[in-house]
Structures are given as C-alpha cells and as structure tokens.
Amino acid sequence: ADALGFPVVMKIESPDVVHKTDVGGVVVDLRDAEEVRAEYEAMVHRVRDARPEADIRGVLLQPFVRGGRETIIGGTTDPTFGPLLMFGLGGVYVEALKDVVFRVHPLTDLDARQMVQSIRGYKVLQGIRGEPPSDEEAIIDVIERVSQLMGENPAIAELDINPFLVQERGGVALDARIRIAEPTV
C-alpha cells in the first residue's frame, strides 16, 4: 500500500468468492498503513464467517480511483452463436437494473456504438445534472477489444470487466474475471 500510495482499495483474493461485496470482501478509501493492517484482519474474518469453505489467498490492493461511472463489458460463448458481447451499467447495478445489451461477435465500430447508446441508462453516460459526459470512445474501444479477444481465444467461456470505470477521459478496469471452458474430450 505504501508503494501504491494512499488511498487504496482492498479486495479479498479467492477463487471461491466471485461477488466480493456480498461477503464484505471490498473496502475502499483506506488512507494509511494502520487502516490497511486493521482492515486486512477484519476482512479475512468477515469472509471466513460468510464463506467458511472459501480458499482465501490474501488480498489485492489497488489505487482508489475517484469519479467516473461503473459499466460492465464482457462476453460469454454460446454453443450456437459463438461469442456474445455484453455492455451495460455495471458494479452492483448490473444485477439490480439488468440494463445490459448483447451482440454477436464479430463487432464493427457501429455495433459497439449502438450497444453503448441502446442501454436505458445511456443518459447517465452522457452526463446529467452538470456532471461531465463519459468517454464513449473509450467504452467502444474496450468492447471491440473484448470482442477480438474472445474471437481469437475460443477457450474463453466467460469474460467480465466489472466495473469498467469510465471517466470523462478514458477508463480503468477495476475488476475482471475470465472463465476458461472445460476441455471437451
């Protein structure tokens, strides 16, 4: 944490915990080494209480990024259609609002742009109540890159960047998950 610089975010590191916030496995805005040490102990304890069977490998520390809007960019491989790409409002909102759209790979620039502009929450990305607009081109670029990645790697069964925090200029992946398909014999 000292090397990253404060404030930082701490996330539980476990292959058995996909939704970290549900088990108290994410804490943001830790401002000094003492808070990091105390929160480490508390977090491991919370997660062990919630998921005793979980293989806890430690924690991940990341710089705390302020501002922006949480989106989700990802995909899944359908046995009939192949890679399906997804975009929508992300973070905890993806499950609550279910404001996501899907398109079949491969995507053109126009396909990716239409994905972004077709979610119900598009006005939020455009900026409301004096907030700056989100960098739509950054979102489109990441959607196209995920499409290419999935198209070139058929072993990827699922891929989620959630949240992809899109800012006024650029964006940053705050969490990601890739599931590799079981080999067929």
Side-chain angles (χ1 to χ4, degrees):
D2 287 334
L4 288 173
F6 292 96
V8 296
V9 174
M10 181 183 293
K11 298 178 184 180
I12 199 71
E13 185 65 30
S14 171
D16 302 317
V17 180
V18 176
H19 300 292
K20 297 170 183 66
T21 55
D22 292 351
V23 295
V26 178
V27 176
V28 301
D29 203 15
L30 297 171
R31 298 187 168 267
D32 58 40
E34 186 176 313
E35 281 188 19
V36 169
R37 278 190 288 276
E39 190 51 49
Y40 172 81
E41 297 297 330
M43 179 180 289
V44 169
H45 197 76
R46 279 192 308 272
V47 175
R48 284 202 196 286
D49 285 348
R51 299 282 306 276
E53 78 289 355
D55 174 16
I56 298 175
R57 298 182 178 174
V59 297
L60 173 69
L61 296 174
Q62 298 173 297
F64 179 52
V65 181
R66 297 184 194 283
R69 292 178 187 83
E70 292 184 351
T71 64
I72 183 170
I73 299 172
T76 187
T77 300
D78 181 85
T80 303
F81 296 107
L84 296 175
L85 288 298
M86 172 187 59
F87 172 73
L89 294 181
V92 296
Y93 301 113
V94 71
E95 291 178 23
L97 301 178
K98 299 184 181 0
D99 189 9
V100 295
V101 295
F102 291 88
R103 295 287 188 280
V104 176
H105 167 84
L107 296 180
T108 65
D109 292 354
L110 181 58
D111 294 327
R113 185 171 309 283
Q114 287 175 340
M115 288 178 76
V116 173
Q117 294 175 352
S118 66
I119 64 169
R120 292 184 311 273
Y122 178 60
K123 287 194 181 296
V124 173
L125 297 176
Q126 290 179 304
I128 54 174
R129 300 216 171 194
E131 292 181 349
S134 300
D135 187 343
E136 194 171 321
E137 297 306 317
I139 299 169
I140 291 166
D141 182 57
V142 174
I143 292 171
E144 291 175 321
R145 289 172 186 263
V146 168
S147 176
Q148 181 179 356
L149 180 65
M150 291 194 67
E152 291 176 358
N153 296 280
I156 297 175
E158 294 176 357
L159 184 155
D160 290 333
I161 303 170
N162 184 25
F164 177 73
L165 188 68
V166 62
Q167 298 170 311
E168 189 174 5
R169 287 194 173 167
V172 61
L174 298 182
D175 207 353
R177 177 182 69 86
I178 297 176
R179 187 175 66 80
I180 303 299
E182 296 294 324
T184 55
V185 181

